[in-house]
């Protein structure tokens, strides 16, 4: 599972034990607010909001907080104006990086993101320079020892999954964003435990990195993902597993 898929799983596991709960909650609340503002407050008809609520529940966020965030997004409750903004650029080795942020001060966030790119050997690009590389998809990971291969293929494909691959110790199921929740629900209703599920952006091409450039790129990824205004970071790197694991333990 070399590349960004592996890194995504490492970050997911790290988040589970991350003590900075306040920062995680802030990012989740901002996503709920934006999702409700853009698509309405009904999660049944707003798949982005439904996913945001699921992510908040997975972090044990109280329902009261979730409900308030939804109402802030729909305008039923007052709150600071949160602006959604994307940044596109390149990391070490020419790796394409797409950053999604939510901020109450765009000028401040832009300056800080530009500084992080420069600090770790990258540079911000113009709008549209790398976004075309990434396609939004739903990704669901199932541990191989949790289900028979034939069963997971039957359940997932019948529910509308686009593709199923084996990646290390996992089955990786890819879906269209609008089919994501129905596929996930079908898997859970079949009694198959879901290890991790998310809406993400998948690169169509990748750049192989090793050595110092790989380490610098991962430092940049860490710095971007830990920025309080950053919601998601996507990149098209392909880095050997041993370097990814080394970086995750550092």
């Amino acid at each position: 599972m070399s590349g960004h898929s592996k890194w995504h799983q490492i970050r997911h596991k790290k988040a589970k034990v991350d003590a900075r709960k306040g920062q995680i909650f802030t990012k989740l609340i901002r996503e709920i607010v934006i999702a409700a503002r853009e698509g309405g407050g009904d999660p049944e008809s707003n798949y982005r909001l439904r996913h945001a609520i699921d992510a908040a529940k997975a972090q044990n966020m109280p329902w009261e907080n979730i409900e308030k965030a939804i109402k802030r997004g729909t305008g039923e409750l007052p709150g600071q104006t949160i602006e959604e903004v994307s940044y596109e650029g390149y990391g070490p080795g020419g790796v394409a990086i797409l950053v999604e942020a939510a901020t109450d001060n765009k000028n401040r966030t832009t300056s800080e993101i530009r500084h992080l790119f420069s600090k770790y050997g990258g540079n911000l690009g113009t709008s549209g320079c790398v976004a075309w590389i990434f396609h939004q998809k739903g990704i669901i990971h199932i541990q191989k020892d949790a289900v028979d291969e034939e069963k997971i293929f039957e359940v997932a494909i019948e529910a509308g999954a686009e593709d199923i691959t084996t990646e290390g110790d996992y089955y990786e199921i890819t879906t269209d964003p609008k089919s994501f929740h129905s596929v996930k629900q079908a898997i859970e209703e079949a009694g198959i435990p879901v290890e991790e599920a998310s809406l993400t952006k998948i690169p169509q091409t990748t750049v192989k990195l090793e050595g110092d450039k790989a380490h610098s790129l991962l430092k940049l990824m860490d710095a971007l993902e830990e920025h309080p205004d950053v919601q998601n970071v996507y990149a098209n790197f392909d880095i050997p597993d041993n370097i990814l694991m080394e970086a995750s333990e550092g």
Side-chain angles (χ1 to χ4, degrees):
M1 202 192 305
S2 295
H4 199 220
S5 181
K6 180 80 170 184
W7 181 247
H8 177 77
Q9 281 211 8
I10 291 171
R11 295 295 301 187
H12 170 71
K13 290 176 181 176
K14 187 175 179 183
K16 282 186 174 180
V17 295
D18 197 329
R20 293 166 298 173
K21 213 67 169 178
Q23 183 169 314
I24 294 172
F25 275 18
T26 298
K27 292 189 177 191
L28 290 168
I29 286 171
R30 286 183 175 183
E31 174 61 15
I32 293 170
V33 169
I34 292 170
R37 185 181 69 206
E38 297 298 319
D42 181 7
E44 292 303 313
S45 59
N46 183 346
Y47 73 84
R48 181 176 176 181
L49 177 60
R50 193 184 323 164
H51 177 64
I53 292 171
D54 286 347
K57 287 180 177 179
Q59 291 293 337
N60 297 313
M61 182 183 289
W63 175 250
E64 181 183 1
N65 296 33
I66 296 172
E67 196 169 37
K68 284 181 179 178
I70 294 172
K71 289 181 177 180
R72 280 174 54 196
T74 57
E76 296 173 69
L77 287 177
Q80 63 182 166
T81 301
I82 301 297
E83 183 178 2
E84 193 171 24
V85 58
S86 295
Y87 301 99
E88 300 175 48
Y90 300 92
V95 168
I97 300 176
L98 175 62
V99 180
E100 295 176 343
T103 178
D104 59 357
N105 187 328
K106 183 179 177 180
N107 290 337
R108 180 203 67 224
T109 302
T110 300
S111 175
E112 291 173 355
I113 296 300
R114 180 179 288 110
H115 171 71
L116 290 177
F117 268 88
S118 298
K119 181 178 179 180
Y120 294 102
N123 61 280
L124 271 184
T126 57
S127 177
C129 67
V130 302
W132 61 272
I133 294 173
F134 301 91
H135 291 178
Q136 188 174 41
K137 296 291 181 181
I139 297 293
I140 302 169
H141 286 115
I142 310 289
Q143 286 194 349
K144 281 185 179 179
D145 58 9
V147 60
D148 175 77
E149 182 175 0
E150 187 175 338
K151 182 176 181 181
I152 188 60
F153 269 75
E154 179 184 343
V155 172
I157 295 299
E158 188 173 320
E162 291 183 345
D163 191 25
I164 303 174
T165 58
T166 54
E167 301 282 359
D169 296 330
Y170 295 90
Y171 295 113
E172 184 173 279
I173 301 164
T174 305
T175 77
D176 177 86
K178 292 183 179 179
S179 304
F180 171 69
H181 285 281
S182 59
V183 174
K184 179 173 175 283
Q185 184 177 2
I187 291 170
E188 291 172 335
E189 288 178 352
I192 302 168
V194 172
E195 173 70 16
E196 194 262 340
S198 64
L199 287 171
T200 187
K201 289 192 168 92
I202 306 296
Q204 305 308 298
T205 61
T206 58
V207 176
K208 289 189 176 183
L209 286 186
E210 295 187 20
D212 291 342
K213 287 185 178 180
H215 287 286
S216 295
L217 187 279
L218 293 179
K219 286 179 181 178
L220 173 57
M221 293 290 291
D222 263 333
L224 289 170
E225 290 184 333
E226 289 172 4
H227 189 284
D229 294 340
V230 170
Q231 298 292 94
N232 299 294
V233 184
Y234 308 103
N236 72 335
F237 60 80
D238 185 0
I239 292 175
D241 287 0
N242 64 308
I243 296 179
L244 291 176
M245 296 307 297
E246 183 183 326
S248 72
E249 294 166 1

